[in-house]
Amino acid sequence: MSRASASLIPMKTVITRVRVETENVKTYYVRLPEGVELPKPGQFNMLYVHGVGEVPISVSDVDADSRAVAHTTRFAGSVTRTFALLKEGDIVGFRGPYGVGWPIELVTNKNLVLIAGGIGLPPLRPVIREIARNRSAYGKLIILYGARTPKDLIFSYEYREYESIPDTELLLTVDVPSEEWKGNSGVVTNLVKVVNVNPDETYAFVCGPEVMMRQATQELLRKGFKTNRIYLSLERRMKCGVGLCGHCQMGPYFVCKHGPVFPLWFISKYFWVDQI
Amino acid sequence: MSVSGLYVGHTKGIEMIFNELKRLDYVVVGYKVEEDVLKLRELNSFEELASGVEDVQNPGRYYLVRGKFSRHGPDSLKRFFYPPTLTLFSISPKWDMSMPDYVNRKIAFLGIKPCDLVALKVLDRVLLNVDEYYTRLRRNTALIIENCTAPGNTCFCATMSTGPRARDSFDLAYTRLDSRLVLEAGSDLGLRLLSLLEVEPIDDSTYRDFETVMRKASEKARAGFELSELPELLELNIGSKAFKEVAGKCLGCANCNMVCPTCFCFDVLDVPKIDGFADRVRVWDGCLNFTYAQVAGGHFRSDLWARYRHFVLHKFTYWIKQFGTYGCVGCGRCITWCPTGIDLRESVKKVLRGDVDE
Ligand SMILES: Cc1cc2nc3c(=O)[nH]c(=O)nc-3n(C[C@H](O)[C@H](O)[C@H](O)COP(=O)(O)OP(=O)(O)OC[C@H]3O[C@@H](n4cnc5c(N)ncnc54)[C@H](O)[C@@H]3O)c2cc1C
Ligand code: SF4
Ligand code: SF4
Ligand code: FES
């Protein structure tokens, strides 16, 4: 395996817009530094905050005209919590785009089920956008999304837009419903059971917490999905993004560069192993 | 590969080699006794090179006694090419970044063992032309190898095919046979060094002695398992209870990762300063550390046995898939420097036997 030189030095760039999503999630539009290619759906970038640290964040939208890339970030720990303080015009460090994205080209003329849990929706949003833009190239689109509570549903302002895409279904669920909530409750994997598609004509893209991905995968297999039709975006600790620091290993794979998106058959030997 | 064939000289030739390397402006690094441990250090004079000592290595034990042949201490070449801490950049409050000067020192390693030579070749697969710092330093390296006539109790280089005799990629390799020295050049530099010494092509009787010593060394440095099919067998036994049993003694201290000459994982620390400047610093990390696979709100390998399993599988299985070579060279450091004496050879054998009490 020949390997190219990989830089750990971030490029300086600027936040062009900040959008509040939920109580602990905001979307940061960052200008792509000169010479950097536009990210593809499912890729991620390393964002550096001065003196605080660097974290991997998926691309949740790309504005090709202004070369701005959206990163929808949940404030989870020491670095992402300081994200909460960042405003339009602030400077951040940028490295990327990294990783292998969703195999959208495979889905042409096929149906697609997107299964997202919590902060797993942002990496799938570019896929939804692509299908909306190029509707006739793809078959039926089914979006299954679950969050903890109704307040935690990300991008709720654009669900109508999703539903107005022809031949598209959006099914939501929450773990803990509120009084006003009229929709489904329970884990997102329950929704997989009710989906009505021909598994031979359909792909599934899954992104969310590892437990949720395992359950979703089991449901899909039970429905007759083959292991080469199920794609998962794995999450691991990442410190370099380029296959150097070792942290993201799952079995022999460096999730940062061999993934984060893998077809199940690639990783099935390891995926089910406890604490691999 | 040998470019010269074997020659016989006298052990005093080592000093001449040292002097010539110095004359050629190399920083000469070799094992030196410091605080009763062999440490790889820059040698200012030939007298500093450890001599008359032997390192006794057993699981969880290391001490020096008077003796004729020493092997190695906890340091390996890793610390020179891939330092334990390295500042990636410093950043000003206004976002001006400065990178450290990558030193372009010529380093010669004198008297390192064949396993450590191979460990460097393993690191090359991982870091050469990938890590800039490593690559710069690595380009100006001279490697003078001392073949192992007396492997230690934790060594298993013969099983890993990394010793006791260096096969290629060295400048000069020598073997001590009492006061005689069997020499072999592996590069132009090696030939040049060889040409300075009083040597003769090896005679039959010295060659037979050499062969005998090497064969005996090779018989000693065995792990008790064979490599054939090992990668696959370990992976097939990924659910083995043996990992749990072995890890029952593990402290999670990551000493094994730190002393391993091929472990390359790093963490990155951010060091803010009071004046608004900050450093990003790369530091060694290891898969036995608790935080290694921890993420915000979760942990992929919270149990020690799973982290220990990752260590073993990475060395013997994953590394081959990732880089086309084993990640273990059989130097035995992780065994010697494990505070509770966990023996990697035994762990592998336990997993292969699969005869652990349920
Ligand atoms: C490929 C990929 C894409 C991601 N995309 C998004 C996204 O779109 N939106 C979002 O909100 N989050 C995303 N995450 C998770 C996000 O990276 C973590 O929440 C974040 O790193 C937490 O860092 P912290 O310093 O705030 O937390 P701490 O817990 O203090 O983390 C310390 C360090 O551990 C590592 N780390 C911690 N948690 C994670 C984690 N979950 N995944 C990877 N590394 C972690 C980071 O390197 C971080 O610097 C993604 C993770 C990966 C691997
Ligand atoms: S795993 Fe142990 S024996 Fe193998 S190279 Fe590393 S320290 Fe040496
Ligand atoms: S050195 Fe020994 S105790 Fe420490 S982490 Fe390694 S195996 Fe465990
Ligand atoms: S994030 Fe460093 S190896 Fe993948």
Side-chain angles (χ1 to χ4, degrees):
Chain A
M1 200 185 330
S2 91
R3 310 210 301 154
S5 150
S7 176
L8 297 175
I9 313 299
M11 286 169 279
K12 176 177 161 179
T13 188
V14 68
I15 294 178
T16 57
R17 189 149 68 91
V18 180
R19 173 156 202 171
V20 178
E21 302 289 355
T22 70
E23 199 188 333
N24 64 346
V25 177
K26 285 185 190 173
T27 297
Y28 301 87
Y29 286 84
V30 169
R31 180 164 310 132
L32 270 189
E34 199 123 336
V36 174
E37 60 186 286
L38 289 177
K40 295 191 249 321
Q43 287 193 301
F44 67 95
N45 298 313
M46 299 295 291
L47 296 182
Y48 168 74
V49 183
H50 192 294
V52 183
E54 194 180 46
V55 289
I57 304 290
S58 297
V59 171
S60 65
D61 195 15
V62 178
D63 180 345
D65 295 336
S66 69
R67 282 181 58 81
V69 177
H71 304 84
T72 303
T73 306
R74 183 173 57 114
F75 312 137
S78 53
V79 181
T80 48
R81 284 208 187 122
T82 62
F83 267 66
L85 309 171
L86 296 174
K87 314 172 298 298
E88 184 180 327
D90 282 350
I91 293 172
V92 288
F94 176 99
R95 294 193 290 129
Y98 292 136
V100 179
W102 303 106
I104 295 204
E105 50 313 325
L106 284 182
V107 192
T108 324
N109 297 321
K110 299 280 194 311
N111 307 318
L112 180 61
V113 184
L114 303 180
I115 308 171
I119 196 73
L121 184 58
L124 287 167
R125 181 160 74 156
V127 175
I128 304 175
R129 292 267 153 98
E130 159 60 21
I131 293 179
R133 230 183 344 253
N134 227 331
R135 190 63 194 95
S136 58
Y138 305 94
K140 186 169 172 176
L141 173 64
I142 301 172
I143 306 164
L144 312 179
Y145 177 43
R148 227 170 55 76
T149 75
K151 280 198 203 137
D152 292 312
L153 290 164
I154 298 171
F155 309 139
S156 50
Y157 48 86
E158 58 186 32
Y159 295 164
R160 284 244 181 92
E161 201 184 303
Y162 296 177
E163 284 171 316
S164 69
I165 306 171
D167 209 8
T168 299
E169 256 180 85
L170 170 70
L171 295 175
L172 302 172
T173 183
V174 294
D175 299 348
V176 190
S178 61
E179 298 243 324
E180 315 84 82
W181 181 253
K182 304 226 170 42
N184 300 300
S185 62
V187 291
V188 66
T189 45
N190 293 340
L191 299 179
V192 182
K193 293 182 191 145
V194 306
V195 166
N196 184 19
V197 284
N198 174 359
D200 294 332
E201 297 286 302
T202 311
Y203 280 81
F205 292 177
V206 191
C207 186
E210 185 145 305
V211 223
M212 169 253 159
M213 287 204 279
R214 283 195 197 170
Q215 285 173 17
T217 304
Q218 267 158 356
E219 287 300 336
L220 289 166
L221 291 172
R222 222 168 272 153
K223 282 190 104 66
F225 275 79
K226 297 279 185 315
T227 56
N228 60 352
R229 295 283 163 119
I230 303 171
Y231 281 78
L232 307 159
S233 180
L234 300 185
E235 185 183 0
R236 292 264 149 166
R237 186 184 181 92
M238 288 190 184
K239 282 292 180 176
C240 70
V242 290
L244 277 180
C245 74
H247 283 93
C248 68
Q249 286 175 84
M250 183 215 225
Y253 295 110
F254 292 109
V255 170
C256 61
K257 63 170 204 177
H258 300 128
V261 175
F262 292 94
L264 179 62
W265 71 268
F266 238 73
I267 51 168
S268 50
K269 196 164 171 186
Y270 312 99
F271 186 63
W272 306 106
V273 176
D274 184 25
Q275 298 196 50
I276 183 75
Chain B
M1 231 180 38
S2 172
V3 295
S4 69
L6 296 174
Y7 285 80
V8 199
H10 191 273
T11 39
K12 66 176 189 282
I14 302 172
E15 182 166 6
M16 295 168 75
I17 294 168
F18 174 88
N19 291 335
E20 178 65 6
L21 289 169
K22 277 290 204 193
R23 210 184 58 78
L24 293 172
D25 278 336
Y26 279 100
V27 170
V28 183
V29 171
Y31 279 109
K32 177 175 169 177
V33 178
E34 252 183 43
E35 297 164 318
D36 291 331
V37 169
L38 291 168
K39 294 192 182 167
L40 262 191
R41 292 290 182 267
E42 182 176 341
L43 306 173
N44 295 311
S45 69
F46 181 71
E47 285 65 45
E48 289 177 5
L49 185 70
S51 85
V53 290
E54 183 182 338
D55 46 317
V56 179
Q57 303 200 32
N58 284 309
R61 305 270 288 153
Y62 182 98
Y63 55 90
L64 296 182
V65 295
R66 293 180 82 47
K68 278 193 266 179
F69 187 80
S70 59
R71 296 157 206 103
H72 54 56
D75 298 327
S76 64
L77 307 193
K78 178 170 88 168
R79 72 179 267 130
F80 291 87
F81 298 107
Y82 183 73
T85 64
L86 177 74
T87 301
L88 296 171
F89 60 85
S90 298
I91 183 164
S92 79
K94 293 199 162 139
W95 273 83
D96 296 318
M97 288 172 149
S98 56
M99 270 46 108
D101 285 336
Y102 291 147
V103 271
N104 273 322
R105 296 195 301 175
K106 285 166 70 177
I107 308 185
F109 292 91
L110 177 62
I112 60 156
K113 301 300 174 287
C115 58
D116 279 357
L117 169 69
V118 179
L120 192 62
K121 286 169 61 184
V122 174
L123 273 189
D124 280 354
R125 298 267 186 131
V126 181
L127 296 170
L128 195 64
N129 299 326
V130 176
D131 181 70
E132 205 178 337
Y133 186 94
Y134 181 92
T135 307
R136 288 224 196 160
L137 277 177
R138 180 69 179 90
R139 296 239 179 265
N140 287 315
T141 316
L143 298 159
I144 317 300
I145 311 301
E146 179 168 302
N147 285 327
C148 251
T149 52
N153 297 331
T154 57
C155 298
F156 56 105
C157 59
T159 294
M160 300 311 298
S161 301
T162 59
R165 180 180 171 187
R167 290 288 165 187
D168 55 44
S169 310
F170 51 79
D171 291 292
L172 190 71
Y174 64 80
T175 311
R176 293 173 190 267
L177 293 180
D178 301 320
S179 62
R180 285 169 301 172
L181 208 56
V182 176
L183 295 130
E184 180 177 18
S187 72
D188 289 348
L189 175 67
L191 280 177
R192 172 174 181 166
L193 294 169
L194 194 60
S195 70
L196 294 173
L197 310 178
E198 271 176 44
V199 293
E200 294 193 1
I202 197 162
D203 54 280
D204 282 355
S205 106
T206 311
Y207 184 72
R208 273 194 301 276
D209 290 353
F210 173 69
E211 283 277 88
T212 309
V213 165
M214 280 297 125
R215 199 189 57 245
K216 285 197 176 139
S218 190
E219 280 159 12
K220 168 129 205 246
R222 300 219 156 261
F225 58 78
E226 295 302 325
L227 280 190
S228 74
E229 296 180 292
L230 178 67
E232 190 173 3
L233 289 174
L234 282 178
E235 206 169 48
L236 285 171
N237 285 296
I238 203 162
S240 168
K241 295 255 189 325
F243 291 112
K244 291 188 184 161
E245 195 209 79
V246 171
K249 272 172 70 184
C250 178
L251 309 171
C253 65
N255 267 15
C256 47
N257 295 132
M258 299 300 121
V259 296
C260 179
T262 65
C263 271
F264 60 85
C265 290
F266 65 78
D267 203 344
V268 183
L269 301 178
D270 292 274
V271 188
K273 311 262 174 70
I274 197 91
D275 56 4
F277 281 76
D279 292 341
R280 270 217 114 204
V281 187
R282 182 181 86 181
V283 297
W284 287 355
D285 197 1
C287 55
L288 268 302
N289 277 331
F290 180 74
T291 55
Y292 183 83
Q294 194 177 31
V295 296
H299 203 309
F300 289 96
R301 283 182 222 114
S302 53
D303 290 335
L304 206 38
W305 62 261
R307 303 207 291 282
Y308 186 73
R309 176 181 66 188
H310 180 79
F311 177 70
V312 176
L313 275 151
H314 193 207
K315 292 291 166 197
F316 296 105
T317 305
Y318 304 155
W319 214 298
I320 295 183
K321 298 189 179 193
Q322 293 168 347
F323 304 108
T325 171
Y326 286 97
C328 174
V329 297
C331 72
R333 284 186 178 89
C334 59
I335 305 170
T336 302
W337 297 93
C338 173
T340 67
I342 292 177
D343 190 329
L344 181 60
R345 299 167 297 187
E346 296 305 318
S347 307
V348 169
K349 280 186 271 187
K350 274 197 176 119
V351 175
L352 294 182
R353 278 202 306 267
D355 61 349
V356 178
D357 299 338
E358 298 279 311

